[in-house]
Amino acid sequence: MLSHLQAAGLPSIPKPPSTDKQPEDASNKTAQSYITCIYLAKVAELCRNVTATWSKSLINHSLCINVEKPSDDKNPYTCKIDLNSWQFWGKKGLKNFEVDGKRVDVFWDFRQAKFSGNPEPCSDYYVAVVSDEEVVLLLGDLKKDAYKRTKTRPSLTEATLLCKKENVYGRKLICTKAALGDCKKEHDIVIENSLSGPGDPEMWISIDGTVAIRIMNLNWRFRGNEIVTVNNLPIQIFWDVHDWLFGSHNSSHGVFIFKPGELNCAHDSDSDSRNGLIDNSTEGSISPTGFCHILYAWKVE
């Protein structure tokens, strides 16, 4: 898939992380559900990538927090929290680990957390990462509870969300939420497809109930990009649904990228103007050009 994208002048799109095994049958929705958010946060006196991965399978439900180790990027500092519903004692807890010889604490409270089918809670929870007596990363909406429990102050260097990646499953509809623009408000995104029937295959991408893009003749336009406007802000949308149309039944997934901002038109070359969306030189590394939402859309037959 990547070579075809580069030949078409589109940015490189990363494959799903190699540590997340792909399903033998894409209809097994819960087997491969995950959401990964990559933040830039100040931990142990350095600004580092902090990755929070929510994952859910038939038997496991967990949150794994990885803190970048510059000296060994393949073996980050790791803290794993078990969210299995039958383990109520683990719904509120504290773990700590060392980052470059400094203690880092992770506080969490999921006792009242509400879920909507995704591995990540939608409300009533918090996860607080504390370093040097500061909350350097705070997830969830119970912020007052988190500060009260940790007895610490917010970090002077606010954590920045760099990238969100997720697996989503569907047949004719793929639904997700993405932070576009200021990365604070999440927008409802629906990807609808019509791949069978007497007519040519088509696809629609809607944002907050309004059709932003309609792609006709999908057999010929299975890869592409367009810029749409959301709340007066330009949003780049890239798609690659080649495998939906021509891939094997058990591994057919499309890839979508939603990225705020205009394409850089300073260069005449299309490849140059689109360069820098995602840097694949290191697994999971993110270019400093702003937030992007990467969606792996698995089609269920």
Side-chain angles (χ1 to χ4, degrees):
M1 179 184 294
L2 297 179
S3 59
H4 292 296
L5 282 167
Q6 292 164 351
L10 295 177
S12 298
I13 297 179
K15 297 178 180 179
S18 58
T19 54
D20 294 320
K21 296 180 181 179
Q22 298 309 320
E24 295 181 0
D25 183 357
S27 63
N28 190 355
K29 298 182 182 182
T30 59
Q32 299 297 321
S33 296
Y34 77 85
I35 295 176
T36 296
C37 294
I38 303 176
Y39 302 86
L40 185 65
K42 189 173 183 180
V43 181
E45 300 181 351
L46 289 178
C47 288
R48 311 166 187 260
N49 282 356
V50 179
T51 303
T53 299
W54 307 84
S55 60
K56 188 176 183 180
S57 68
L58 291 173
I59 58 174
N60 294 313
H61 188 187
S62 65
L63 167 63
C64 185
I65 297 178
N66 290 331
V67 178
E68 179 186 24
K69 184 189 297 184
S71 60
D72 185 1
D73 55 10
K74 293 185 178 180
N75 295 287
Y77 304 100
T78 300
C79 175
K80 188 173 183 179
I81 302 169
D82 192 349
L83 302 179
N84 280 332
S85 59
W86 57 84
Q87 295 178 337
F88 183 80
W89 57 267
K91 295 299 183 182
K92 181 179 180 181
L94 163 66
K95 284 187 177 182
N96 57 71
F97 58 102
E98 285 194 356
V99 174
D100 288 350
K102 292 182 176 292
R103 172 170 166 163
V104 174
D105 294 311
V106 180
F107 298 81
W108 68 87
D109 190 344
F110 296 104
R111 292 176 299 174
Q112 306 299 325
K114 293 181 174 58
F115 293 85
S116 60
N118 293 323
E120 180 183 18
C122 55
S123 66
D124 299 330
Y125 77 100
Y126 68 78
V127 179
V129 180
V130 177
S131 174
D132 294 324
E133 299 183 352
E134 294 183 342
V135 176
V136 297
L137 178 62
L138 180 55
L139 310 179
D141 56 339
L142 299 183
K143 299 184 185 300
K144 290 184 179 180
D145 293 349
Y147 287 119
K148 181 179 179 180
R149 182 179 173 205
T150 61
K151 299 179 181 179
T152 54
R153 62 186 182 276
S155 174
L156 297 177
T157 305
E158 185 177 359
T160 302
L161 178 59
L162 300 177
C163 178
K164 182 175 181 179
K165 300 187 289 185
E166 62 176 316
N167 271 358
V168 178
Y169 297 81
R171 186 178 180 185
K172 291 184 176 295
L173 288 177
I174 301 290
C175 302
T176 187
K177 290 180 178 289
L180 305 174
D182 60 6
C183 293
K184 294 181 180 179
K185 177 186 176 182
E186 288 197 319
H187 298 264
D188 292 313
I189 294 177
V190 176
I191 301 169
E192 183 178 2
N193 68 81
S194 176
L195 303 185
S196 60
D200 291 329
E202 297 183 45
M203 182 172 67
W204 301 263
I205 300 177
S206 300
I207 300 176
D208 293 334
T210 301
V211 176
I213 299 176
R214 180 185 180 187
I215 301 104
M216 303 175 68
N217 300 318
L218 200 58
N219 276 332
W220 301 100
R221 298 188 62 203
F222 49 81
R223 298 187 183 100
N225 68 284
E226 289 192 19
I227 296 178
V228 302
T229 300
V230 178
N231 294 338
N232 297 320
L233 294 173
I235 305 297
Q236 304 171 52
I237 301 178
F238 301 83
W239 68 87
D240 182 340
V241 294
H242 174 273
D243 288 359
W244 280 5
L245 297 161
F246 310 111
S248 63
H249 169 72
N250 291 333
S251 62
S252 56
H253 74 281
V255 184
F256 298 82
I257 294 179
F258 300 86
K259 180 174 174 59
E262 295 277 8
L263 290 171
N264 180 7
C265 297
H267 303 284
D268 293 332
S269 167
D270 286 343
S271 61
D272 287 343
S273 68
R274 298 183 179 101
N275 189 25
L277 178 67
I278 295 177
D279 178 6
N280 279 328
S281 59
T282 302
E283 180 72 24
S285 64
I286 303 299
S287 71
T289 56
F291 170 79
C292 63
H293 185 113
I294 305 173
L295 180 67
Y296 302 102
W298 295 86
K299 194 172 184 303
V300 178
E301 298 296 337

